[in-house]
Amino acid sequence: MLPEKTVTVEKTLAELDPGETGRVLGIEGSGVLAQRLIDMGLYPGVLAVMLRRAPFGDPIEVEAEGAYITLRKDEARFVKVKKSA
Amino acid sequence: MSKKTIALAGQPNSGKSTVFNSLTGARQYVANYPGVTVEKMTGWYKRKGETVEVVDLPGAYSLTSYSPEERVTRRVLLHDPLSAVINVLDAANLRRSLYLTIQLLEMEVPLILALNMMDVAESQGVGLDVQGLSKELGAPVVPTVMTRGRGREELLDAVADMSKISNLSKNSARSSAAHLNLYPKAASALKELEELLAAEEDLRTDFPVSWLAIKLMEGDSEVLESVRERTGSDRLVVRAHELRAAFEAEHDLRPELYISSQRSQRAAEIARRFEKRRGSDKVPFSERVDRVLCHRFFGPLFLAVIVYGFYYLSFVQGYNLTHYVWPILAGFRSFMEGILPQPGLIELPVFREFVLWIVDNANALLNYVPIFFILFALIAILEDSGYMPRIAFILDRILRRFGLHGQSTLSMILGGVVLGGCAVPAVMATKGIPDEKSRLATILTLPMLNCQAKLPLYFLLISIYFNETVRLPFFGDVSQQSIVIVFIQTISLLFVLPIAKILSMTVLKNMETAPFIMEMPPYHVPTFRGVLGRAIERVWLYIRKITTVVVAIAVVLFVLLHFPGLTPERKTHYEAEKDQAVQAFLASVQGKSLAEELKTEEDVLSLILFQQGYRNLLRSGAKPETREAYGEKNPAFFEIIQNRKSEEARSIERELKKLISFRSTTLTAIRKERIDNSVLGQLGRALEPISKYAGFNWRVNVAVLSTLAAKENSVSTLGALYVKEETGAEADSDNGDTLEARMRDQEEDFTPLHAMALMLFMVLCPPCLPTVMAIKVQTGSTKWMLFSFFFPLLLGLLTAILVFSGGSALGLDGFQAMWRFYLIALSLTIIMAFFKPKSQNKAELWLALRKGGDRTHGDAF
Ligand SMILES: Nc1nc2c(ncn2[C@@H]2O[C@H](COP(=O)(O)OP(=O)(O)O)[C@@H](O)[C@H]2O)c(=O)[nH]1
Ligand SMILES: [Mg+2]
């Protein structure tokens, strides 16, 4: 549905570097986490921009369609993204 | 006149509270929803002869049953008879806001959309098709800028119109059809559930059937439970489980995640259709600010500057303000002194003592009101501006190492991490911490921060016992005082951090944790009204604490300190001494012309009181005219105490001074004896066998016992125990120097080591009763309340014993013991920072996530 013309790599959100962009493929597991992330705007299909890591390295802040969300790397690891090169 | 109720719903930071305040003005009250610590704000307004009650629902991103806020919101929407629900949307972020709107529409509530923050949207070049949006959603849409009251009237009109049209039935047919379109993969399952539900008489009338169907499909525990209860059978629940399992097997995706994702996409699609973004994608203002304020290097730097600014404005400038408040409070005390029964020569009327005791206790606390006001106003600015979540973002990594949470920061600032705060609002502010485990760790350690009320004792002890100068490498000569102040300021953090970690590894081990996911709200310029309102609200909370609990405890303490009082024999003994002294005075002034009016004991007493009145006048820096006017009240007395030239006047004054000095010594002796005998004095003595290892004598014990009411009491109780005023009743409790001198003189055995042990005990000291009560409210558990009291008590005692007994054994003085203790605490903190328990947090998270099988949920699009 949304073809990426450029080369793409599958990663987790925690692995993106600041400035990189990825499309959310899905959220691993099935607990509260996935529901919370979707409620906050990080739903499968959305384009997420990794904005920054906190000064001490964790948590991270991402932007998805105007929603600015911070989450710890522990949680970000569950979010699978397709990195847009 | 009819009464209507409307509710405000919206995501956090959409401006709900602003709408609420604009609609209701100052007519509002706050309570908690029954059983949960979620605040319920209710207000009302009158318009065209109609009274409308407004309920501000808690901010919610969604309407699942996962968080208490969302559950509360849902319950109100379902069960309260609402004539309208205003959904406040952030126009600058339509997609995000619509996610909740879609769920509200599914619930078929009479919805009005307030498209708020239109100004922000405009400034970002976002245009919105209001009519189009209204038609698409089938609900009235009112654009507003609520900070400036724009759109308020239109919104009120929409509420008034709402009750006229009852389009519920129309609504539900349409929304049912919409669902089937929105969730195509689940359409057949939803349809089946709807039919089953529609057959249930009870359910159909009380709830929108299509909404119930969706919730059953989502596996919402609360809805499943209530369906089971209402239908009295498992049939529907079982069928829902089957349908969910079938869905999951077919699509490899849990139905609730599918449904949420569909809503997100629908929200995005509607937003795309009705907003017109002019110009290129400009980076929003807040994001540009965050590039600096959350920057690797500048972020922490800016935070440090903010913390310093806090400290400077509230404690340096705020302290200056207390110079203006104190005269008012002292004036009130003088006024009370004037109207209360007057003291006798050595008789102090109990009623007088009692009222002045209460006034002194209250004054000591009220004196801090300006500091608190500034502090709370600054915190409100931090909250309203949106900087608070940035602090959480920056500090989470560090705090998490100790079992705390990024969002513990607000509480810690309120609690006095910067030196001076109050644990009561701090404990209340933990409400915002989503993770139960770190929330409890925060609550239980907050009272160990240096609240405002602990400071007077520190200052008292430091100024008496740490006066020397020490030579430090690099710094040269530094006074011990400033080093000890830095020590006290930072040591509380060195307690809080490792203790929080230890607690979360032990007693809190099995508490629920939650993932850290937080939205970064856009920055806003705080409004004057909002900041002022919040500051006043919190100061009011503090004042209420004084007027209720503190005063009540002061009464109890007074009783415990005064009874049983002197024995009759001792009373007679003092009476005899007094008579002797008075007779001696009368004899010595006999025959002197100025002393004509001095015949009886009463005359002598009025002379003494006259002299004291004049002295107070001088001390307050009265003008010559005022002094003269005072003198005219009794020219003969004025001659005696004022005329330095006449030999006769001088000799009478000499005799008078002797008598006054006798009076004050006797009053002190009486008071001491009374406290010695008192219930509290006995208790303090009874504790001495244990407390002596911590270096506390019975007086200190009494002072410590009195701090349980409010920490401020430590100094005022010590003040009462170390009395040596010349005037007896007119205690200079405001005058620190006097108490310092008194304490030094009367407590020769007390060394800096004693003082150090006492200060460390005070840091840990159990929370005062108001805090304990706040803890009860916030934890909802008596067990934690008791723990929060006895744990620090034990810990404080052990620490004081370690410092005092250990220090004595090693022959250390207070200062040496201090820095050795500091090194221990610092090492413990560092060890705790690196100590990783068997990755509790992560393990639990994994477990929670893996429960339903190991797979990726995606392909929803
Ligand atoms: N520019 C602008 N700011 C607003 C508007 N409405 C609210 N705000 C600000 O947005 C912030 C969040 O508002 P608040 O009412 O606390 O949101 P709540 O979390 O939904 O209760 C506050 O700083 C408000 O001053 C508006 O219409 N325009
Ligand atoms: Mg609010």
Side-chain angles (χ1 to χ4, degrees):
Chain A
M1 184 172 134
L2 292 152
E4 306 283 344
K5 273 172 236 120
T6 42
V7 189
T8 57
V9 200
E10 220 175 278
K11 278 189 167 190
T12 76
L13 194 57
E15 289 161 348
L16 290 184
D17 279 325
E20 289 184 337
T21 301
R23 193 167 292 280
V24 175
L25 294 173
I27 301 161
E28 231 176 61
S30 58
V32 191
L33 179 67
Q35 185 69 53
R36 284 285 288 158
L37 286 174
I38 294 174
D39 288 348
M40 305 279 279
L42 217 58
Y43 60 95
V46 80
L47 202 61
V49 186
M50 164 73 175
L51 293 174
R52 61 179 60 83
R53 298 192 185 102
F56 302 107
D58 198 20
I60 61 169
E61 183 181 358
V62 297
E63 185 258 354
E65 286 183 351
Y68 289 81
I69 303 157
T70 65
L71 65 169
R72 290 179 184 156
K73 282 183 180 166
D74 279 350
E75 276 95 46
R77 268 189 261 285
F78 292 100
V79 183
K80 290 267 174 273
V81 295
K82 203 197 284 179
K83 194 189 136 190
S84 329
Chain B
M1 203 174 76
S2 63
K3 181 153 171 162
K4 296 201 298 192
T5 304
I6 63 172
L8 297 175
Q11 301 200 335
N13 295 300
S14 55
K16 253 175 341 85
S17 298
T18 313
V19 173
F20 179 80
N21 287 331
S22 169
L23 293 188
T24 63
R27 298 167 297 258
Q28 49 191 258
Y29 58 90
V30 188
N32 271 357
Y33 285 96
V36 280
T37 56
V38 177
E39 250 174 32
K40 178 177 189 171
M41 284 273 269
T42 318
W44 61 93
Y45 67 85
K46 262 200 186 121
R47 193 167 183 264
K48 296 182 184 156
E50 205 175 38
T51 306
V52 180
E53 189 184 54
V54 189
V55 180
D56 188 12
L57 294 170
Y61 291 100
S62 183
L63 293 173
T64 57
S65 58
Y66 286 124
S67 78
E69 284 79 13
E70 295 181 4
R71 279 198 295 270
V72 161
T73 302
R74 224 165 71 166
R75 254 172 243 162
V76 173
L77 291 174
L78 280 178
H79 300 300
D80 290 13
L82 299 169
S83 43
V85 175
I86 300 179
N87 177 202
V88 183
L89 285 84
D90 178 355
N93 208 327
L94 194 58
R95 180 201 65 75
R96 207 178 60 91
S97 299
L98 284 172
Y99 181 72
L100 182 70
T101 310
I102 291 171
Q103 298 181 59
L104 289 169
L105 286 169
E106 285 173 357
M107 291 183 80
E108 293 167 23
V109 291
L111 204 63
I112 297 169
L113 304 189
L115 209 47
N116 195 32
M117 311 243 187
M118 285 301 283
D119 55 333
V120 182
E122 272 154 34
S123 76
Q124 288 179 6
V126 180
L128 291 160
D129 174 3
V130 175
Q131 256 98 53
L133 195 62
S134 173
K135 229 170 123 208
E136 174 74 22
L137 299 173
V141 179
V142 183
T144 62
V145 180
M146 265 306 163
T147 35
R148 268 175 263 145
R150 230 173 75 192
R152 181 174 178 273
E153 284 307 310
E154 291 83 341
L155 197 57
L156 291 172
D157 285 338
V159 172
D161 292 345
M162 201 63 179
S163 35
K164 286 185 208 137
I165 14 167
S166 174
N167 51 359
L168 223 68
S169 48
K170 226 177 12 190
N171 233 353
S172 93
R174 197 201 48 226
S175 70
S176 174
H179 300 159
L180 305 179
N181 292 335
L182 185 51
Y183 311 115
K185 287 185 187 173
S188 63
L190 285 173
K191 206 168 164 141
E192 185 188 331
L193 285 172
E194 271 184 35
E195 277 158 15
L196 287 172
L197 285 160
E200 298 287 343
E201 200 60 42
D202 274 4
L203 288 170
R204 197 181 53 201
T205 45
D206 287 2
F207 302 99
V209 162
S210 52
W211 178 78
L212 280 181
I214 294 174
K215 286 290 145 187
L216 288 182
M217 197 59 195
E218 283 180 347
D220 187 293
S221 54
E222 217 182 44
V223 171
L224 283 168
E225 195 44 50
S226 81
V227 165
R228 191 201 312 273
E229 246 169 54
R230 289 233 179 189
T231 58
S233 97
D234 274 351
R235 204 170 50 91
L236 262 164
V237 174
V238 169
R239 185 61 194 143
H241 277 307
E242 284 166 10
L243 287 169
R244 279 166 53 75
F247 183 95
E248 216 177 322
E250 188 183 344
H251 301 287
D252 190 21
L253 176 67
R254 289 182 78 103
E256 64 268 31
L257 299 187
Y258 167 72
I259 289 172
S260 315
S261 301
Q262 287 302 105
R263 285 185 191 130
S264 301
Q265 288 180 22
R266 170 96 173 112
E269 177 204 312
I270 299 175
R272 263 196 300 277
R273 264 173 58 204
F274 297 102
E275 70 184 14
K276 286 175 270 303
R277 290 188 179 267
R278 286 184 297 274
S280 61
D281 279 302
K282 214 173 77 181
V283 179
F285 171 75
S286 294
E287 172 52 21
R288 271 177 292 153
V289 173
D290 273 342
R291 283 181 188 166
V292 181
L293 296 194
C294 293
H295 184 268
R296 197 155 273 256
F297 174 71
F298 295 110
L301 189 72
F302 183 76
L303 182 58
V305 170
I306 288 282
V307 168
Y308 178 76
F310 239 74
Y311 171 74
Y312 176 78
L313 284 175
S314 47
F315 295 109
V316 180
Q317 294 304 326
Y319 191 74
N320 287 339
L321 277 185
T322 61
H323 296 321
Y324 297 96
V325 176
W326 188 248
I328 301 173
L329 298 174
F332 176 70
R333 191 189 197 278
S334 311
F335 170 76
M336 292 307 286
E337 279 169 21
I339 62 168
L340 286 168
Q342 291 301 304
L345 260 174
I346 60 163
E347 278 288 312
L348 300 175
V350 174
F351 181 65
R352 176 187 176 85
E353 290 255 278
F354 174 72
V355 175
L356 291 179
W357 164 269
I358 303 289
V359 171
D360 282 341
N361 270 289
N363 274 4
L365 292 152
L366 289 173
N367 193 29
Y368 295 120
V369 164
I371 296 186
F372 268 87
F373 184 78
I374 294 179
L375 189 69
F376 290 148
L378 290 173
I379 289 168
I381 290 174
L382 281 194
E383 284 177 288
D384 277 6
S385 64
Y387 185 61
M388 220 36 125
R390 272 81 186 177
I391 302 183
F393 178 66
I394 293 172
L395 294 181
D396 181 64
R397 175 66 187 270
I398 297 172
L399 292 173
R400 182 160 44 121
R401 276 184 179 275
F402 297 101
L404 300 170
H405 194 274
Q407 274 161 274
S408 307
T409 326
L410 169 63
S411 289
M412 290 172 73
I413 294 176
L414 281 164
V417 78
V418 198
L419 193 64
C422 180
V424 176
V427 169
M428 311 266 224
T430 56
K431 214 167 31 191
I433 303 172
D435 178 301
E436 196 55 23
K437 189 175 183 172
S438 6
R439 199 172 79 94
L440 265 170
T442 311
I443 290 179
L444 294 177
T445 49
L446 274 178
M448 295 173 194
L449 290 170
N450 283 321
C451 77
Q452 182 83 58
K454 294 180 188 174
L455 306 186
L457 181 73
Y458 299 151
F459 291 145
L460 176 76
L461 293 175
I462 289 173
S463 63
I464 305 175
Y465 296 103
F466 297 95
N467 284 314
E468 283 159 41
T469 311
V470 286
R471 185 172 291 268
L472 289 182
F474 310 116
F475 291 98
D477 288 344
V478 184
S479 84
Q480 278 186 350
Q481 286 195 1
S482 44
I483 300 174
V484 180
I485 287 177
V486 172
F487 165 76
I488 280 295
Q489 193 168 349
T490 49
I491 192 75
S492 67
L493 201 57
L494 298 187
F495 280 129
V496 167
L497 296 180
I499 290 172
K501 175 75 163 247
I502 292 169
L503 287 178
S504 64
M505 279 162 30
T506 54
V507 285
L508 300 176
K509 198 169 61 195
N510 298 320
M511 297 302 292
E512 217 178 297
T513 66
F516 176 94
I517 304 169
M518 186 181 68
E519 199 196 13
M520 285 286 208
Y523 287 104
H524 286 284
V525 179
T527 60
F528 183 72
R529 201 202 134 128
V531 169
L532 200 67
R534 197 98 44 96
I536 289 174
E537 191 184 308
R538 284 184 177 144
V539 166
W540 181 233
L541 199 74
Y542 175 75
I543 292 179
R544 268 210 326 245
K545 160 187 156 183
I546 297 170
T547 49
T548 54
V549 184
V550 174
V551 170
I553 302 291
V555 172
V556 174
L557 280 179
F558 182 85
V559 173
L560 293 182
L561 278 170
H562 274 75
F563 291 91
L566 295 192
T567 57
E569 299 89 74
R570 296 299 294 163
K571 259 192 203 143
T572 329
H573 164 80
Y574 285 118
E575 280 292 318
E577 275 193 350
K578 176 202 72 179
D579 287 342
Q580 216 178 355
V582 172
Q583 288 316 318
F585 174 76
L586 287 175
S588 72
V589 301
Q590 201 64 55
K592 301 210 163 107
S593 62
L594 273 173
E596 232 136 62
E597 290 190 27
L598 292 169
K599 294 266 183 299
T600 63
E601 193 182 313
E602 271 93 84
D603 302 337
V604 177
L605 181 60
S606 21
L607 176 61
I608 291 176
L609 294 179
F610 187 79
Q611 189 262 5
Q612 272 159 17
Y614 186 63
R615 229 191 35 180
N616 287 346
L617 206 64
L618 285 184
R619 225 192 277 153
S620 70
K623 290 192 211 77
E625 304 91 77
T626 332
R627 283 187 294 192
E628 224 131 273
Y630 185 82
E632 266 151 35
K633 281 199 262 178
N634 193 331
F637 282 2
F638 200 53
E639 276 288 309
I640 297 173
I641 63 170
Q642 170 67 1
N643 194 340
R644 316 251 151 210
K645 287 178 211 96
S646 136
E647 175 55 40
E648 195 186 284
R650 272 221 304 268
S651 90
I652 299 180
E653 200 194 3
R654 243 192 331 269
E655 289 301 321
L656 180 65
K657 285 251 166 80
K658 263 195 238 160
L659 185 61
I660 290 176
S661 142
F662 160 80
R663 179 176 182 239
S664 84
T665 331
T666 311
L667 282 172
T668 309
I670 293 177
R671 189 179 300 225
K672 258 191 163 158
E673 214 172 301
R674 198 183 53 214
I675 293 175
D676 266 31
N677 285 339
S678 72
V679 180
L680 209 57
Q682 308 276 0
L683 192 59
R685 277 221 177 70
L687 291 174
E688 237 177 6
I690 306 169
S691 70
K692 71 174 182 221
Y693 295 104
F696 302 169
N697 63 22
W698 70 271
R699 284 205 183 98
V700 173
N701 287 347
V702 171
V704 164
L705 288 171
S706 74
T707 61
L708 300 184
K711 298 271 187 278
E712 290 83 349
N713 282 344
S714 62
V715 169
S716 60
T717 311
L718 282 175
L721 296 180
Y722 294 99
V723 270
K724 199 193 179 171
E725 333 84 43
E726 294 105 307
T727 60
E730 275 68 39
D732 289 315
S733 54
D734 57 319
N735 189 341
D737 282 322
T738 327
L739 176 56
E740 281 151 31
R742 275 183 268 152
M743 190 158 170
R744 190 165 33 224
D745 293 348
Q746 296 176 44
E747 208 59 89
E748 277 132 19
D749 300 337
F750 218 71
T751 64
L753 189 60
H754 288 83
M756 184 48 67
L758 179 54
M759 284 199 287
L760 285 172
F761 177 79
M762 197 64 182
V763 173
L764 291 166
C765 200
C768 62
L769 292 181
T771 307
V772 171
M773 279 168 4
I775 291 176
K776 169 94 175 49
V777 170
Q778 283 303 320
T779 59
S781 132
T782 313
K783 193 188 89 184
W784 286 123
M785 180 189 83
L786 292 175
F787 182 83
S788 78
F789 185 82
F790 287 104
F791 174 66
L793 181 66
L794 194 68
L795 201 66
L797 206 57
L798 289 177
T799 304
I801 290 174
L802 173 77
V803 169
F804 181 75
S805 295
S808 309
L810 297 173
L812 303 175
D813 68 23
F815 194 70
Q816 290 164 330
M818 176 194 87
W819 67 259
R820 283 180 173 78
F821 182 79
Y822 198 77
L823 287 184
I824 297 175
L826 191 64
S827 330
L828 186 66
T829 308
I830 293 171
I831 292 170
M832 279 301 155
F834 288 100
F835 185 77
K836 280 214 175 106
K838 279 191 279 112
S839 198
Q840 280 289 332
N841 239 326
K842 230 188 282 176
E844 271 162 36
L845 184 64
W846 273 89
L847 212 74
L849 293 166
R850 301 270 149 160
K851 246 188 259 164
D854 211 354
R855 72 177 74 77
T856 300
H857 291 290
D859 80 340
F861 49 101

